[in-house]
Amino acid sequence: MNCVAALADLLSFLMSKKNTFLDSVSQYFDLAASHSKVSPGILTQIKSCNSVCEFKFPVLQDDGEIEVLTGFRAEHSHHRLPTKGGLRFSRHVTHDETVALATLMTWKCAIVSVPFGGAKGGVCINPKTASPGFRERVVRRYTSELIKKNFIGPSIDVPAPDYGTGEQEMGWIADTYKAFNSDGLNAYACVTGKPLSLHGIEGRTEATGLGVYFGIKEYADREDIVKPLGLSRGIAGKRVIVQGLGNVGFHAAKFLQEMGDAIIVGIAEFEGGISNPDGLDIEEVSAHRRGTGSILDFPGAKNHTNSSELLEADCDILIPAALENQITGKNAPDIQAKIIAEAANGPINAEANRILLSRDKLIIPDVFLNAGGVTVSYFEWLKNLSHVGFERMTTGYESQSNERILSTIEDMTGRKADAEQRALFTAGASEQDIVRAALDESMSSAAHSIEKTRVDNKLPDLRTAAFCHAIEKVSKTYIDLGIFP
Ligand code: NAD
């Protein structure tokens, strides 16, 4: 290799190092920190990851052989306890990825006023090929490793679902933890995203996707934001492309379609992509995938063997909801969407972020947009600690109170409500109603706080404003704790 080629090789190696997920998160922090009034010492403290645990553990495979797996749990910030963050199953889980995700969790919790520090966990396995039996053995062994290391507990660190895991895995975590803490009254609060039968909460499964819908709506409804993008107000009629039809992508698309009247024109998945300018029914695509094992060959849709080309296709709103680093310096110049709504964590790297902003795109950042999951996880944790569902103490009273109001209105007007109107008016709120309304309120209030920070500090974009807002909040807690007198 000649000198020039070697130099180019070194340069490209260094560039690839600079564009890792952790590096992007670090760059976002540094930029926002430079706009904040927080002192350098505190900034150094709140930027660094407090504890990371990396460990190997043996698990019996289905064929009787032993496989040694690598697991991680990172607790980014202990300024509030417990720490909170998902458990990821992926072949690509690494130390740095786990730290990057835990870091985002700290800022995310601060943005939606959830009183937790950030954490994240991961195990290097392929979630698509692992059998249910193998997954259960992995989860139970991983949980017992966390217990031994004091990295799990209702007041210590509380996992939740993330990429490659769901409520079944959370149920196994709860059961394993409970087995080790049999008299622990609050043991089930050691994990959220559990099945309802194991003290989960109505609305957690769809919470992240619903939060994505509420978050997009906050900005799509604002004339001053969408007009410069060449868009009309509102979600109705907007053409949407979604990458990743998992928990977050499916629910985000479902609510955008059902509650917002958006048109889902493209879906990109692992196995390929599909598009239809007239719209794809998200429930039907999902049923087709369950039936055939693939989204491809969906009736009336065009197949795309290279699904990443859909990221660059013409649409109004692009929703990357799969994994990090999907939009990089390579494809950012070709992105046609006007709004990029980060449902996944870190789907846009720092280089792409700069390119997209210079092209006047609106980026709704992950630290805000996908915070619905942790928000409802917080509600589940509260429910577990109080040992009573939110609706249990309110539904009856509300119903009786509404009945009294309706009767008074009927007496005053001389008109009687029909049975359907009566049922609608007098029904007390269910757990799902309460959770959804509180989630909507949390996303709305977070969007307003971010906007206030953006305007007050004359910040260039939503991500910088969101980070700046979170940095100010977390540093204030450190100061109030008296760690930095
Ligand atoms: P999931 O495992 O349910 O779904 C992910 C989907 O993405 C899968 O269907 C997978 O096949 C698909 N996918 C993977 N690589 C792809 C690619 N290159 N192109 C297209 N599709 C691809 O995971 P999830 O829980 O929906 O998480 C998705 C993202 O959202 C992750 O970044 C996660 O960290 C983030 N997130 C999840 C939650 C949650 O509550 N689950 C909360 C906040 C953030």
Side-chain angles (χ1 to χ4, degrees), residues 88 128 162-164 204 208 243 246-248 269-270 321-322 344-345:
R88 179 173 284 200
K128 293 188 196 301
D162 190 71
Y163 184 92
R204 174 58 185 89
T208 309
Q243 183 200 37
N247 177 300
V248 178
E269 247 299 337
F270 208 64
N345 283 309

Side-chain angles (χ1 to χ4, degrees), residues 88 101 105 108 120 127-128 161-165 204-205 207-208 243-250 268-272 289 307-308 320-324 326 343-346 370-371 373-374:
R88 179 173 284 200
L101 288 162
M105 283 305 295
K108 204 177 292 183
K120 205 76 177 194
K128 293 188 196 301
D162 190 71
Y163 184 92
T165 63
R204 174 58 185 89
T205 307
T208 309
Q243 183 200 37
L245 199 63
N247 177 300
V248 178
F250 167 75
E269 247 299 337
F270 208 64
E271 63 270 15
R289 192 178 192 214
S307 76
S308 57
L323 282 171
E324 57 268 17
Q326 297 302 301
N345 283 309
N370 66 30
V374 74

Side-chain angles (χ1 to χ4, degrees), residues 1 9 43 67 87 89 159 213 226 238 247 253 290 346 428 472:
M1 194 187 284
D9 217 35
L43 287 173
E67 184 174 359
L87 169 62
F89 279 180
Y213 166 70
V226 292
K238 297 289 176 303
N247 177 300
R290 278 195 303 276
E472 302 268 357

Side-chain angles (χ1 to χ4, degrees), residues 169-454:
E169 285 76 14
M170 303 307 116
W172 290 327
I173 292 178
D175 185 57
T176 309
Y177 186 84
K178 180 78 178 149
F180 281 83
N181 297 272
S182 53
D183 66 343
L185 191 60
N186 296 326
Y188 283 120
C190 73
V191 61
T192 58
K194 302 178 290 290
L196 280 175
S197 60
L198 286 176
H199 310 281
I201 194 166
E202 288 280 5
R204 174 58 185 89
T205 307
E206 67 271 27
T208 309
L210 182 59
V212 168
Y213 166 70
F214 288 143
I216 294 175
K217 193 170 175 320
E218 283 294 323
Y219 294 100
D221 280 348
R222 285 187 45 187
E223 182 91 24
D224 61 322
I225 291 204
V226 292
K227 205 169 169 197
L229 301 170
L231 294 174
S232 59
R233 268 187 66 207
I235 290 175
K238 297 289 176 303
R239 297 164 305 141
V240 176
I241 293 179
V242 184
Q243 183 200 37
L245 199 63
N247 177 300
V248 178
F250 167 75
H251 286 108
K254 178 180 154 73
F255 290 115
L256 280 160
Q257 187 166 68
E258 289 176 2
M259 292 170 79
D261 281 333
I263 306 167
I264 310 298
V265 294
I267 300 172
E269 247 299 337
F270 208 64
E271 63 270 15
I274 52 172
S275 66
N276 184 341
D278 298 327
L280 299 156
D281 185 291
I282 201 74
E283 288 279 10
E284 284 178 17
V285 173
S286 185
H288 172 82
R289 192 178 192 214
R290 278 195 303 276
T292 66
S294 168
I295 59 170
L296 294 174
D297 300 325
F298 181 69
K302 177 182 168 191
N303 281 342
H304 298 256
T305 38
N306 173 13
S307 76
S308 57
E309 72 189 26
L310 278 174
L311 294 175
E312 299 159 23
D314 184 25
C315 67
D316 300 315
I317 306 173
L318 173 65
I319 306 184
L323 282 171
E324 57 268 17
N325 285 336
Q326 297 302 301
I327 304 178
T328 64
K330 273 193 185 152
N331 57 0
D334 300 317
I335 300 291
Q336 295 190 58
K338 298 172 180 77
I339 299 175
I340 300 107
E342 290 187 317
N345 283 309
I348 300 175
N349 76 6
E351 186 189 4
N353 192 59
R354 284 189 289 273
I355 295 170
L356 292 170
L357 291 177
S358 74
R359 296 182 58 220
D360 296 326
K361 305 290 182 189
L362 177 74
I363 299 173
I364 309 180
D366 50 6
V367 276
F368 158 70
L369 194 65
N370 66 30
V374 74
T375 304
V376 177
S377 276
Y378 171 46
F379 302 154
E380 180 177 334
W381 181 78
L382 290 173
K383 174 183 173 178
N384 295 157
L385 294 186
S386 57
H387 300 270
V388 63
F390 295 103
E391 82 295 355
R392 177 86 186 261
M393 304 305 290
T394 57
T395 310
Y397 177 78
E398 267 179 17
S399 178
Q400 290 162 19
S401 173
N402 289 346
E403 179 63 52
R404 279 194 296 276
I405 296 171
L406 185 59
S407 299
T408 310
I409 294 172
E410 285 173 336
D411 289 347
M412 287 170 70
T413 60
R415 281 186 57 199
K416 283 272 172 214
D418 64 31
E420 198 183 331
Q421 288 169 330
R422 173 158 246 99
L424 198 67
F425 192 83
T426 59
S430 66
E431 181 170 79
Q432 190 187 61
D433 294 334
I434 295 170
V435 164
R436 287 190 175 185
L439 173 60
D440 191 1
E441 175 57 30
S442 298
M443 294 303 290
S444 178
S445 151
H448 286 107
S449 303
I450 293 169
E451 186 59 6
K452 184 168 175 352
T453 307
R454 190 181 73 81

